[in-house]
Amino acid sequence: MTQAESLFKRSFYLAVLFCLAGSSVNGQAEVRQIVSLNRGWTFQLVDLTPERAAEHDTCFTLVNIPHTWNHRDIQSGEQVRYGTAWYTRELVPGDSPVGSQYFLKFEGVGQHAEVYVNNNYVGSHLGSYSAFTFNITRFLDMD
């Protein structure tokens, strides 16, 4: 084994050990908690503003995601529905250490998504069925 190969091998082991050691803040290891939000969504196919959607939450249908509202093929002879669809879900953050951050990860949304948290616009995503994530920490009511 050449000296360069030996150095590379040691560097690689150090890099792996560093990655496995993880990072810490104030001497405590950071822990990422991942919670599935696939159950308990409400759905409504209607073109509303975010404020109006919140007012009409009793008209929504309970669904789990993944969900599609326009799954009928145009070849079926039925009228294909297009438009704006609202999916809503209540999220109550649990007790978390001070400084915790909250992210919403979507693994696939058709065409165009606009994300709102507590009636506040968080962001949008263009791109059919590609994953995207938003940091929603500042939009949560933590009181």
Side-chain angles (χ1 to χ4, degrees):
M1 177 181 305
T2 68
Q3 185 177 4
E5 289 172 327
S6 177
L7 180 60
F8 174 76
K9 191 173 186 179
R10 281 187 298 215
S11 297
F12 178 73
Y13 286 141
L14 287 175
V16 169
L17 288 174
F18 179 73
C19 290
L20 292 176
S23 60
S24 65
V25 176
N26 299 328
Q28 297 179 3
E30 290 184 41
V31 177
R32 176 178 291 178
Q33 183 178 9
I34 298 173
V35 177
S36 172
L37 302 176
N38 288 353
R39 299 200 170 276
W41 288 80
T42 58
F43 163 80
Q44 188 176 28
L45 180 61
V46 63
D47 193 8
L48 297 173
T49 64
E51 298 79 21
R52 298 275 308 184
E55 294 171 7
H56 290 86
D57 63 350
T58 57
C59 301
F60 284 59
T61 303
L62 186 63
V63 298
N64 294 321
I65 57 174
H67 173 259
T68 183
W69 52 270
N70 59 351
H71 64 280
R72 299 199 191 281
D73 187 5
I74 198 165
Q75 300 295 326
S76 69
E78 295 183 35
Q79 180 180 0
V80 178
R81 297 173 15 166
Y82 298 95
T84 301
W86 281 91
Y87 289 86
T88 63
R89 189 180 192 289
E90 185 175 335
L91 171 65
V92 180
D95 293 333
S96 298
V98 174
S100 293
Q101 297 209 19
Y102 294 85
F103 296 85
L104 277 179
K105 178 181 180 184
F106 296 87
E107 294 181 345
V109 175
Q111 304 301 320
H112 179 206
E114 292 184 357
V115 177
Y116 294 83
V117 173
N118 292 328
N119 290 332
N120 295 298
Y121 177 75
V122 176
S124 66
H125 176 77
L126 295 172
S128 187
Y129 305 108
S130 59
F132 60 97
T133 303
F134 288 114
N135 183 336
I136 62 166
T137 307
R138 67 185 177 117
F139 300 103
L140 299 177
D141 295 326
M142 300 302 287
D143 299 325

